[in-house]
Amino acid sequence: MAEIILTILCDNTAAMKEGIRAEHGFSALIERDNTRILFDTGQSDVFWHNAGVMGKDLAAIDSVVLSHGHYDHTGGLLSLARFNGGAMVIGHKDVFAPRYKKQVDGSLKYIGCPYTQTHLESRGLNFKFVSSRFEVAPGILYVSEVPVANDFEKGDPLLVVKDNNGKAVPDPFMDDAALYIRTPQGLVVILGCSHRGVINILKQILTLEGDVPIFTIIGGTHLSRVSVEQTEKTIEALREVNPRAIGVSHCTGLEAADEMKKVFGNRFFRATAGTVITINEEGGVAIQ
Ligand SMILES: [Fe+2]
Ligand SMILES: [Fe+2]
């Protein structure tokens, strides 16, 4: 197996490295052999700035994969188009669906992709819409349309779409996607926001892949606004998954991350902007 390098380019918090910026959002670069895939783009040009600081050339990426349509994952697409017109962007057809967050006063704030598909295409980006599973590169797979398989991952009640009558209803998040990489040691899973539930996503991946270990998990797990019960059950289910390394980002939330640290000890890390995760040929995981 060739070495895999995962570089966190955008996260809510930044590693203590000179010049790295943070913003609410997520973006990661996946490198293996000559394959370079960008997963999400954060909400602005921060991902591009951090890539430059870390010596990563995003003009050389093969494709971009979108985890879902929220602005904090798609907002960087215009910067991407400015610097890398012609890039291929892979995602579910619902990434451009209008979506909202309920405010305290009951109003709805738009939190979908800030640009239309037409506008981004006029700037040179090419979109490829895929559904439940797609092989982005050999052994690197996209998965969305995740079935709900447990009763504790209830979703975030503040995140909604409008039905045909304009009424706010829970966002179904059929576009919520993850990437996973096959390795001889098992699977490396990269999550965006996990709006369909991190355990539902892992279960779906195992359904598709068979009984293989999930040995590394990184990304957002959206435990920042859920009940204590959901957090506890999620962490218990993650403990059963028994990853060798788990690095959380973004919407995981500080409290849930602290709880995971207690459970996973030195297998746990914070995948902040500027963090580099190197997985070597023997399956060793180094965090820098
Ligand atoms: Fe997010
Ligand atoms: Fe999101």
Side-chain angles (χ1 to χ4, degrees):
M1 180 188 89
E3 190 175 72
I4 296 168
I5 303 172
L6 308 173
T7 305
I8 309 301
L9 298 177
C10 174
D11 182 48
N12 296 42
T13 54
M16 287 207 295
K17 292 182 180 176
E18 202 174 329
I20 298 293
R21 295 180 189 161
E23 72 174 356
H24 173 62
F26 188 69
S27 173
L29 177 67
I30 297 149
E31 297 172 277
R32 192 199 58 192
D33 295 330
N34 295 321
T35 302
R36 292 176 184 195
I37 297 166
L38 180 67
F39 183 67
D40 287 342
T41 64
Q43 62 167 295
S44 73
D45 58 357
V46 161
F47 77 106
W48 199 277
H49 165 87
N50 287 341
V53 171
M54 302 182 78
K56 300 292 182 185
D57 179 12
L58 296 187
I61 54 171
D62 302 296
S63 55
V64 184
V65 175
L66 298 177
S67 70
H68 64 305
H70 278 158
Y71 73 101
D72 51 323
H73 299 253
T74 58
L77 285 172
L78 200 57
S79 299
L80 178 79
R82 191 177 310 136
F83 300 118
N84 186 358
M88 172 65 75
V89 185
I90 297 165
H92 193 275
K93 64 176 171 48
D94 290 353
V95 292
F96 286 106
R99 51 228 321 177
Y100 306 86
K101 182 178 174 194
K102 271 188 192 166
Q103 305 294 290
V104 211
D105 64 2
S107 64
L108 299 182
K109 181 182 178 189
Y110 180 82
I111 58 165
C113 181
Y115 323 108
T116 63
Q117 181 186 342
T118 311
H119 182 61
L120 292 169
E121 284 173 339
S122 76
R123 300 300 178 102
L125 296 185
N126 299 296
F127 286 88
K128 181 178 181 63
F129 294 119
V130 294
S131 52
S132 54
R133 185 158 73 154
F134 179 73
E135 192 158 18
V136 178
I140 303 181
L141 293 102
Y142 160 101
V143 58
S144 66
E145 299 185 2
V146 172
V148 172
N150 65 58
D151 60 2
F152 60 88
E153 292 184 305
K154 297 184 187 305
D156 185 330
L158 299 183
L159 303 178
V160 297
V161 292
K162 289 180 183 170
D163 69 9
N164 292 339
N165 301 315
K167 184 169 168 275
V169 294
D171 190 331
F173 283 117
M174 296 314 285
D175 58 332
D176 187 70
L179 271 188
Y180 62 91
I181 308 170
R182 293 181 183 137
T183 81
Q185 282 76 27
L187 305 175
V188 175
V189 178
I190 302 124
L191 305 161
C193 264
S194 300
H195 287 299
R196 291 287 286 183
V198 54
I199 304 305
N200 284 327
I201 293 169
L202 296 178
K203 177 149 194 310
Q204 174 66 355
I205 290 172
L206 291 177
T207 301
L208 295 168
E209 290 293 308
D211 189 20
V212 287
I214 290 177
F215 88 102
T216 304
I217 300 169
I218 70 154
T221 61
H222 208 82
L223 296 171
S224 55
R225 276 201 301 265
V226 307
S227 66
V228 173
E229 185 198 6
Q230 181 171 338
T231 302
E232 285 174 356
K233 288 190 170 172
T234 301
I235 294 175
E236 176 56 26
L238 283 171
R239 205 175 59 77
E240 284 167 23
V241 171
N242 197 25
R244 193 178 307 169
I246 177 163
V248 295
S249 312
H250 184 43
C251 50
T252 297
L254 298 177
E255 288 84 1
D258 287 346
E259 290 306 309
M260 287 189 207
K261 168 82 182 154
K262 287 181 203 160
V263 170
F264 293 103
N266 60 12
R267 290 185 288 158
F268 172 89
F269 63 98
R270 292 172 200 273
T272 57
T275 302
V276 181
I277 302 114
T278 306
I279 300 165
N280 68 23
E281 303 213 353
E282 288 74 45
V285 183
I287 315 298
Q288 291 169 300

